[in-house]
Amino acid sequence: MELPLSPITQTKLAQSFSPREGETRLGQKVRLLPGAASYMDALTQAKAAGARFAIIGIKEDLGPRANLGQGGANQAFDAMLPALLNLQSNRFLSGEECLLLGEIIPVANAAHDCQQLRQEVESLDQQVIEALTPVFAAGLEPIVIGGGHNNAFGLLSAARAALSKPLAAVNLDPHSDFRLREGRHSGNGFSYAAANGALGHYHVLGLHELKNSEANLEQLTAFGGSWHSLQQIWVRRELSLEKALSDIARQLRHTGLPVAIELDLDAITQMPSSASTVAGIPLLDAAHYVSHMARHTQSVYLHLAEGAPACHDAGLAAGYKTVGQCLAELIYAYLQAKQV
Ligand SMILES: N=CN[C@@H](CCC(=O)O)C(=O)O
């Protein structure tokens, strides 16, 4: 069977967790892609057997590098696997709902020069669209671990192709990623998606008032995009997070469009990432955002972008632990919210 991604093998799965007598880990319950005549058949079979979510890694840092940022987002998926798969399967979560599908690895990955990197991001966009469109078409809900935030474009385009509707996206992120269409990179996934018709509605939560250029804000406003700033909620306390979340969810439901839940890990305080910050939001507020949006909107995917273990000040091992645990908590917040 020809596949647009590298499936997770039994060997990789077994290497990613340690079973313990008398316990059942999530790694012992998640499903792998079954053998079938085609990728679409395999996804359909997995869905029929009881999978609802498809967990996918995009192992790349072309997008942040094409945006003149730091590399390292290609390691987030490997950091996440042991943190998630060693968690317990119990009354709160079985693990059988999850298809641990595979990894998208860029075919073009040799450039150093900025313009070439941007072209490689464009090729990666096509890989993401090819791998994800059948996942949406099979009725599975992707949980995608980036990779740079550039992959929002491929995800939104794939969902648009499979569901025949533009998406309403909500993005917890200090940056709107709605920058000029000057060649593909991690800062313009949403402006490109708006231009190709994949994005029908866009709200940014936690936008930093001084990390978005005036041109960027004008472009976002001209599209009809909206935001709650980081300063409004977490600094000036003009409104509570709870009020913002319930207003955002109401707006999203009102669009009648399928909803994309986006989160850039650089929104979270000191999370290793290309644009990491000390003035971010607590991890548990980010988990609450994911939980609220998953529970109260018609969401079709979760995208967790920009985690970069190598950007941890204390080194790679500390980065794997921090990014891995963060991603596992955010994934569980989504899975749990969807079960209610
Ligand atoms: N996905 C992140 N995009 C940010 C990065 C900012 C930075 O590198 O400082 C942006 O382009 O605005």
Side-chain angles (χ1 to χ4, degrees), residues 67 69 149 173 175 177 179 185-187 211 216 264 266 274-275 306:
N67 194 13
H149 218 163
D173 197 335
H175 318 95
D177 290 352
R179 285 177 37 207
H185 58 64
S186 63
K211 290 186 179 172
N216 174 341
D264 190 319
D266 70 19
S274 172
E306 298 274 344

Side-chain angles (χ1 to χ4, degrees), residues 49-50 65 67 94 98 139 148 181 192 202 229 251 262 264 295:
R65 289 192 289 126
N67 194 13
S94 153
C98 296
R181 285 179 281 130
Y192 272 90
Y202 186 40
S229 78
Q251 275 176 0
E262 293 276 347
D264 190 319
R295 187 169 306 192

Side-chain angles (χ1 to χ4, degrees), residues 60-63 65-66 106-127 150-151 184-185:
E60 64 91 21
D61 59 6
L62 298 166
R65 289 192 289 126
V107 175
N109 196 9
H112 295 291
D113 152 81
C114 186
Q115 287 315 317
Q116 286 172 345
L117 278 165
R118 290 176 182 188
Q119 275 161 20
E120 291 191 348
V121 175
E122 237 180 276
S123 309
L124 171 66
D125 287 340
Q126 294 316 308
Q127 283 184 256
N150 40 292
N151 296 309
R184 290 286 291 114
H185 58 64

